[in-house]
């Protein structure tokens, strides 16, 4: 099983989608059961990956590799080649967990075109898993585009009143970034042939030749990849598609969009932008008197503050959570481009924590919307009197999202800020207000929705969440509490390495040599764990 475990994890959801094709659409209960069984199976078959990966965590390079370069379409150098490192391992586990939770949460929420809904959701999960597993650029791009169509349909068919507008906006933004990234991939492909005489889309092989690209070409390639990934994150100012997509998407679509799809952008920065173009990130050349790295840091900080301030102004709960993602993911990109082991390790951990916390927030909003069919904050008040258990779980998730110490959100944000502070204390100082503002908009939201007396008679008899929803929320709440000791066990040597590198790096190397070395060290410290 170990030699093919990635393929088993990858194609389990797709197998479920194929099985659903043969189930009559009138038999909705059977469709729901089959979809949930395969979603749960996708999670269960991924669990053995945890001890297997842990046993190999200090071995260099990619693990559980399947296939060989150029074995799929030899004429163009494309191969079915899978493998993972520590970054993709964590994102795969996040995908299988949130995939199951999302499909389970759809049991009563989706009543129309049930068969098509579950088929596209399972296809979407296969596409997301393929992105994190692919070690071939052609295969990677196939999966990257394969998940675009299902998400477009989930929003466009099962979304809210403005679903077509939101779906088309999501599709066009993402497609624009994908086309630019494809041009960058083709340049790397032909450059590798010019350097080695071999046509290949193999990512490990391209790692060897991409850093040799002259700077005047590499800067444009970096921009092409940057736009593809920045739109997906999304970074400011490419974020405008996100609030509309979140607000109009069904609850499960919002969970998987915030929890996994947005992480493809940050994953792309770590997997491709840092190792392919270190000469661009570390170069002292400027545009408008700001280096490329300075632009990345600046956009991250603006996103942190802007997303938090806009969240404070929202009257719609779902839109508030959507803008909070812009702020929280700004911390992730800040950690990446700080170029320290601490910053990058914290960024990877925060990506997982954000997926759990924000996914839970969308589930929480969805529960209220399904019962009242409104997300307006002013329509609520005193909900803790009606649903005390639900209110307690919501408080845990809010505290987690705002980064309360001893909960999962604190671990990632603190590590990012620590790594950023060691590089430049001014960057960290500008980012810290984002933490304060997060507490402001989340606590204010909780006060207006859950505290006080029930002032709206429509809220007096709201039905409590069913067993499936309670199971979803409690599982996510347990993770938020248990993440602290788990992260302490996983990342102690990473933090020590980060402190040593930041303290002694300047004495070992100097100038561009030191900065380029730190790009490789920062990425390596996270990828092997």
């Amino acid at each position: 099983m170990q030699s093919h475990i990635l393929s088993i994890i990858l194609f389990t959801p797709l197998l479920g989608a194929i099985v659903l094709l043969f189930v009559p659409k009138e038999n909705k209960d059977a469709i729901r059961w089959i979809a949930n069984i395969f979603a749960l199976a996708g999670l269960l078959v991924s669990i053995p990956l945890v001890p297997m990966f842990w046993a190999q965590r200090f071995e260099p390079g990619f693990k559980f590799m399947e296939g060989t370069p150029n074995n799929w379409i030899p004429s163009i150098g494309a191969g079915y080649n899978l493998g993972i490192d520590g970054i993709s391992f964590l994102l795969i586990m996040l995908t299988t967990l949130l995939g199951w939770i999302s499909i389970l949460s759809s049991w009563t929420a989706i009543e129309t075109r049930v068969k098509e809904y579950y088929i596209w959701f399972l296809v979407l999960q296969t596409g997301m898993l393929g992105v994190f597993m692919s070690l071939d650029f052609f295969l990677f791009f196939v999966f990257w585009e394969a998940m675009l169509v299902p998400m477009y349909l989930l929003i466009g068919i099962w979304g809210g009143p403005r679903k077509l507008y939101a779906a088309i906006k999501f599709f066009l933004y993402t497609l624009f970034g994908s086309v630019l990234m494809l041009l960058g991939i083709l340049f790397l492909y032909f450059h590798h042939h010019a350097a080695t005489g071999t046509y290949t889309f193999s990512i490990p092989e391209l790692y060897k030749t991409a850093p040799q690209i002259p700077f005047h070409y590499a800067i444009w390639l970096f921009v092409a990849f940057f736009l593809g990934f920045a739109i997906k994150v999304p970074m400011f100012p490419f974020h405008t598609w996100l609030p509309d997509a979140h607000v109009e998407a069904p609850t499960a679509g919002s969970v998987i969009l915030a929890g996994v799809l947005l992480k493809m952008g940050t994953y792309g920065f770590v997997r491709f932008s840092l190792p392919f173009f270190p000469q661009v990130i570390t170069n002292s050349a400027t545009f408008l008197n700001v280096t490329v790295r300075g632009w990345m840091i600046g956009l991250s900080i603006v996103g942190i503050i802007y997303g938090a301030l806009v969240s404070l102004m929202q009257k719609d709960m779902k839109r508030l959570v959507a803008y909070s993602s812009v702020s929280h993911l700004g911390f992730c990109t800040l950690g990446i481009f700080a170029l320290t082991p601490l910053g990058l390790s914290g960024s990877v951990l925060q990506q997982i924590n954000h997926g759990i916390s924000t996914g839970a927030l969308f589930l929480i909003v969805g529960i209220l919307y399904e019962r009242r069919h409104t997300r307006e904050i002013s329509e609520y008040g005193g909900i803790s009197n009606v649903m005390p258990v639900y209110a307690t779980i919501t408080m845990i998730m809010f505290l987690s999202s705002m980064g309360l110490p001893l909960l999962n959100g604190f671990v990632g944000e603190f590590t990012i800020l620590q790594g950023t502070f060691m590089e430049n204390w001014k960057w960290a100082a500008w980012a810290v207000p984002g933490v304060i503002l997060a507490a402001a908009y989340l606590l204010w939201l909780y006060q207006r929705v859950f505290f006080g007396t029930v002032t709206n008679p429509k809220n007096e008899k709201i039905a409590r969440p069913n067993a499936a929803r309670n199971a979803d929320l409690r599982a996510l709440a347990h993770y938020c509490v248990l993440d602290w000791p788990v992260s302490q066990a996983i990342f102690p040597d990473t933090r020590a390495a980060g402190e040593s590198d930041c303290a002694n790096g300047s004495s070992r190397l100097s100038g561009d040599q030191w900065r380029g070395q730190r790009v490789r060290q920062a990425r390596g410290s996270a990828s092997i764990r």
Side-chain angles (χ1 to χ4, degrees), residues 22-35:
F22 300 98
V23 181
K25 63 180 181 180
E26 294 80 11
N27 197 344
K28 295 182 179 180
D29 286 339
I31 292 171
R32 292 187 177 103
W33 275 107
I34 292 171

Side-chain angles (χ1 to χ4, degrees), residues 253-439:
S254 293
V255 172
I256 211 70
L257 176 61
V260 182
L261 262 72
L262 305 187
K263 308 308 179 296
M264 292 181 181
T266 51
Y267 173 79
F269 283 133
V270 177
R271 175 68 73 227
F272 304 119
S273 295
L274 292 187
F276 280 167
F277 314 113
Q279 72 275 39
V280 174
I281 299 172
T282 61
N283 198 281
S284 58
T286 63
F287 175 71
L288 299 178
N289 294 322
V290 180
T291 64
V292 171
R293 185 184 176 203
W295 277 105
M296 299 300 102
I297 296 294
L299 291 177
S300 300
I301 294 173
V302 170
I304 291 170
I305 304 301
Y306 169 83
L309 288 174
V310 176
S311 294
L312 274 170
M313 305 302 295
Q314 297 307 307
K315 299 178 181 180
D316 182 299
M317 284 188 283
K318 205 172 186 183
R319 190 172 287 271
L320 184 152
V321 177
Y323 275 109
S324 75
S325 289
V326 177
S327 180
H328 289 146
L329 286 167
F331 281 102
C332 294
T333 53
L334 176 65
I336 291 171
F337 291 104
L339 301 185
T340 61
L342 272 174
L344 186 55
S345 297
S347 175
V348 173
L349 185 58
Q350 184 63 8
Q351 291 173 43
I352 308 303
N353 294 334
H354 173 267
I356 296 294
S357 300
T358 306
L361 294 184
F362 280 114
L363 283 174
I364 287 165
V365 173
I367 288 173
L368 289 178
Y369 180 76
E370 290 169 14
R371 286 151 178 77
R372 284 290 324 279
H373 301 289
T374 179
R375 294 183 295 264
E376 291 295 319
I377 299 173
S378 60
E379 287 290 318
Y380 295 96
I383 297 298
S384 60
N385 299 313
V386 183
M387 295 189 291
V389 175
Y390 167 76
T392 302
I393 295 175
T394 301
M395 174 57 79
I396 294 174
M397 304 315 303
F398 275 32
L399 294 175
S400 163
S401 185
M402 72 179 67
L404 184 76
L406 300 183
L407 294 178
N408 65 325
F410 174 78
V411 183
E413 285 187 357
F414 179 80
T415 308
I416 289 170
L417 290 172
Q418 185 181 9
T420 305
F421 185 91
M422 291 178 174
E423 180 64 14
N424 189 319
W425 70 268
K426 294 179 181 178
W427 297 346
W430 277 107
V432 164
V435 180
I436 302 170
L437 291 171

Side-chain angles (χ1 to χ4, degrees), residues 6-23 31 33-42 45 103 115 118-127 129 143:
L6 296 185
S7 291
I8 294 172
I9 296 171
L10 174 61
F11 292 115
T12 296
L14 184 61
L15 178 61
I18 294 173
V19 170
L20 287 178
L21 290 174
F22 300 98
V23 181
I31 292 171
W33 275 107
I34 292 171
N36 277 272
I37 287 171
F38 275 95
L40 179 59
V45 297
I103 288 178
K115 178 178 177 177
Y118 284 110
I119 288 175
W120 285 118
F121 214 108
L122 290 169
V123 171
L124 172 64
Q125 184 164 345
T126 298
L129 289 169
F143 284 122

Side-chain angles (χ1 to χ4, degrees), residues 82-135:
L82 306 180
I84 62 172
D85 62 3
I87 302 167
S88 46
F89 161 70
L90 292 173
L91 291 169
I92 287 169
M93 298 306 300
L94 177 69
T95 303
T96 57
L97 174 62
L98 290 183
W100 169 62
I101 287 176
S102 299
I103 288 178
L104 180 61
S105 70
S106 304
W107 192 286
T108 58
I110 303 300
E111 295 292 342
T112 60
R113 306 184 73 169
V114 175
K115 178 178 177 177
E116 293 89 339
Y117 173 84
Y118 284 110
I119 288 175
W120 285 118
F121 214 108
L122 290 169
V123 171
L124 172 64
Q125 184 164 345
T126 298
M128 295 184 298
L129 289 169
V131 166
F132 300 134
M133 295 180 184
S134 298
L135 292 183

